[in-house]
Amino acid sequence: MSCGLKDDILITTALGDHSMYLSRMTFLSAFAGLLSLAGCVPPVDYAALIPPPGKYDVRILRDTWGVPHIFGKTDKDVAYGLLYAHCEDDFKQIQEGLFLARAKLASIQGKAAAPVDYLVQLFRFREIVEAKYDTDLAPETRAICEASADGYNHYAALHRDQVIPGILPCTGKDVVMGFVVKTPFFFGMDDDLAKLMAPGAPGEVSQKLAATLEENNVFTHGLPIGSNTFAVGPSRTPDGSAYLDINSHQPWTGPVAWYETHLHSEEGWDMVGGVFPGTPIILHGHNRNLGWAHTVNKPDLVDVYKLDMNPDRPLEYKFDGQWRALEKRTARIKVHLWGDFYWNVAKPTYFSVYGPALETPNGFYAVRYAGYGDIRQVEQWFRMNKAKDIGEFEQALRMQAIPSFNIGYADKAGNIWYLYNALLPERSDKYNWRKYLPGNTSETLWTEYYPFETLPQVKNPASGFVQNCNSTPYRTTLGPENPREDHFPVPCGIETHMTNRALRAMELLSADDSITWDEFIAYKFDTNYSPESEAAQFRQRILDETPKDDPVVAEALRALEQWDLGTDETNPTTATAILAIEPIVRARMFGSPPPDLVATFKEKAHLLKRLFGTVTVPWGRVNRIVRGQVDLGLAGGPDTLHAVYGDWKGDHLEGMAGDCYVLMVHWSKDGTLESREIHQFGSATEDETSPHYAAQVPLFAKCATRPVWMNESEIRQHLEREYRPGDFSK
């Protein structure tokens, strides 16, 4: 979206080239209407936002790392306390998430956010939540959502100077909206929409084929920033223990950055793990009995249909030989321009039998994705939080309300489990589902999903371990218990690639038939590339294809020949490789054309020589973590098990994503629980004045962890402060 002021005001909305022009004359005559000041927002009764005494019974215990342990009598007490505590540490992101849920993000972030507000209205998310909130969610789920909204409102009432006007009060429906809006973007719906609205001719529409698509339906997937999980069962540990690695790779700041917490209620909720800003439950972590990790998977869950429009009636489309009318509504978007100036934009939205439809320069297209209309994501995660054993956990998963994410699981009984969790549509094999689909036939209108038991999964294999690092489910472990690719329909789009992280996990775990707890942690922080990895292949290509006539390049080639595929902090040859490879990895992540490998290697060789006087620079001098006044070198790199993805800052890469909140879990043979964790920054994710803003950076830079405290007696031995919401103000 763009906005400019020349002779006209131009606002381009909804990811496309459709523009609304306002002449200067009209602009001047409507100037009074352009101003939309904060003072015009209806006044808020802040006193009414504070829960009455006795409504909630909760204590917040902050340990010496600043981590909040929320102790409540009931589950809803805990949810209320969690949101209050999280607001203390990241009120800005939680507020912005609420504006997103209300389709009002552009009112605070400006024109760049207008397409997001448009999509929230196009997909009718609010309407869906309003219609299903009371019927599709259990009373206890609604209770924690409404309690978390109360926690947000209470904090806002006591910190009015931090409140962005125009959104209070938060409601339980807003909390559910956060899940409903964000879920499809984790499995790539934004990529499909971006391609649809990109300049140029649209992609080819699939024709009905006479045979199945074993050859034609080839799936390719962008490389996600990534996540790791692996679990080891009793047969592969020296003392019959079970281990679990919970290791998502997320951006280090922003709306999907991890926040660590511990939740404990007298109703059986006792969970430690990570939440995103505004979520009332832990998204992955462990309780006393079991734990799980998520990694991003990319099944094909989104389809785009080319509608066959009536040339005589512009908003009619053909479906099974009959003309149908697109349902038309209007999205209204308030766009912040500058200062106290706003502009109200109106943009039509359309709806078809397939789902939401977009008008593009190439015609009308409809979008359909798996799980559309389901609002139960928060309920499934809540049930997973409270599951006591593998049976209850599986019952929660069978809801299939969370349409994607791999799951790595372990428990105190010694069970380990990998599940390719996906809500896979049952599609005809007569179409190529990676192309656009004909939007004129019920043959392409899928309505059913493959049942849970048919999903790729490995439970308690003889090998004693499972792993997934954004990789194919077909190489989860050793031996014949791996899922077989030929057992799953091609139109599901299940990945077949192996990341370096998956290759290294397989190499490390399979080579050690008696894995100790210390070894398990060390494997998680491995910093090497596999000889089978793309990094190793890129290295060989550079050595084979790069001329040696340039002295600086020749020096870099000699360093590259000596590179051992490692990325430890002191390695002097890593920089010559990673600075050439990283732009290619980044391009693949974000769907842009990758640069030429050899040309990039030459460029980076000269860059190193110019900055440091040599191409052999310790990797930790180049690879950095910076947080406030803390600036330290890091091991790791793109797609290593200790993953670090950085932005170039003139003379170094500054970490911005990858390894972040790491949680390692150990159940001994008798069920005794031990776990260790580390956060890349600290619990104060927004407050730069807090001692916890960068408290964990030195440990993180050393690939070290710290103990998890779940027992109240332990927490009190390391207690910084205890308070109830409203009793302590930062």
Side-chain angles (χ1 to χ4, degrees), residues 341-406:
F341 288 76
Y342 296 81
W343 190 252
N344 291 314
V345 177
K347 177 73 177 176
T349 67
Y350 304 98
F351 207 86
S352 72
V353 67
Y354 295 99
L358 287 159
E359 183 181 9
T360 80
N362 299 300
F364 280 86
Y365 290 80
V367 180
R368 187 174 188 82
Y369 70 82
Y372 179 61
D374 197 335
I375 70 167
R376 301 172 301 148
Q377 298 88 359
V378 61
E379 181 158 316
Q380 180 173 328
W381 263 304
F382 186 39
R383 292 188 186 183
M384 292 160 67
N385 274 235
K386 296 197 69 175
K388 301 182 189 70
D389 54 39
I390 194 170
E392 290 187 6
F393 189 77
E394 181 171 327
Q395 285 303 308
L397 296 186
R398 284 180 174 274
M399 289 178 64
Q400 293 190 283
I402 302 170
S404 68
F405 298 130
N406 295 294

Side-chain angles (χ1 to χ4, degrees), residues 253-508:
T253 59
V256 287
W258 287 117
Y259 179 75
E260 55 182 324
T261 189
H262 168 218
L263 310 178
H264 178 98
S265 84
E266 295 178 21
E267 293 182 330
W269 194 3
D270 195 5
M271 186 86 188
V272 64
V275 302
F276 289 156
T279 58
I281 39 80
I282 284 174
L283 299 177
H284 73 177
H286 70 85
N287 59 32
R288 302 279 180 171
N289 301 313
L290 58 86
W292 75 92
H294 288 305
T295 69
V296 172
N297 57 0
K298 287 292 185 74
D300 182 31
L301 304 185
V302 183
D303 290 316
V304 179
Y305 301 83
K306 179 71 167 67
L307 298 182
D308 185 359
M309 303 303 295
N310 188 338
D312 299 320
R313 294 178 179 271
L315 294 184
E316 286 188 348
Y317 65 101
K318 185 177 289 185
F319 183 77
D320 282 347
Q322 302 293 320
W323 292 113
R324 294 192 177 201
L326 285 173
E327 184 178 338
K328 182 180 179 181
R329 296 184 183 178
T330 301
R332 302 191 183 279
I333 305 166
K334 182 179 180 180
V335 182
H336 180 232
L337 297 180
W338 66 87
D340 289 326
F341 288 76
Y342 296 81
W343 190 252
N344 291 314
V345 177
K347 177 73 177 176
T349 67
Y350 304 98
F351 207 86
S352 72
V353 67
Y354 295 99
L358 287 159
E359 183 181 9
T360 80
N362 299 300
F364 280 86
Y365 290 80
V367 180
R368 187 174 188 82
Y369 70 82
Y372 179 61
D374 197 335
I375 70 167
R376 301 172 301 148
Q377 298 88 359
V378 61
E379 181 158 316
Q380 180 173 328
W381 263 304
F382 186 39
R383 292 188 186 183
M384 292 160 67
N385 274 235
K386 296 197 69 175
K388 301 182 189 70
D389 54 39
I390 194 170
E392 290 187 6
F393 189 77
E394 181 171 327
Q395 285 303 308
L397 296 186
R398 284 180 174 274
M399 289 178 64
Q400 293 190 283
I402 302 170
S404 68
F405 298 130
N406 295 294
I407 294 174
Y409 169 96
D411 64 30
K412 75 174 186 180
N415 295 299
I416 60 173
W417 185 15
Y418 162 75
L419 172 70
Y420 187 89
N421 178 65
L423 190 61
L424 301 174
E426 291 190 9
R427 299 177 171 112
S428 165
D429 62 2
K430 302 302 182 183
Y431 293 89
N432 185 334
W433 294 87
R434 294 305 287 177
K435 296 181 179 180
Y436 294 137
L437 284 307
N440 58 8
T441 172
S442 55
E443 287 188 349
T444 58
L445 181 62
W446 46 262
T447 58
E448 301 295 329
Y449 301 98
Y450 285 98
F452 174 84
E453 55 271 11
T454 66
L455 296 174
Q457 52 191 295
V458 178
K459 187 180 291 185
N460 294 325
S463 67
F465 75 87
V466 293
Q467 67 78 32
N468 184 273
C469 302
N470 308 113
S471 47
T472 180
Y474 307 133
R475 290 182 66 183
T476 295
T477 189
L478 296 175
E481 292 166 287
N482 277 306
R484 288 179 51 182
E485 185 175 356
D486 59 3
H487 286 184
F488 301 96
V490 172
C492 293
I494 297 171
E495 297 93 325
T496 58
H497 65 264
M498 288 287 281
T499 60
N500 173 71
R501 290 168 287 116
L503 291 168
R504 285 296 293 162
M506 289 291 290
E507 291 166 0
L508 293 166

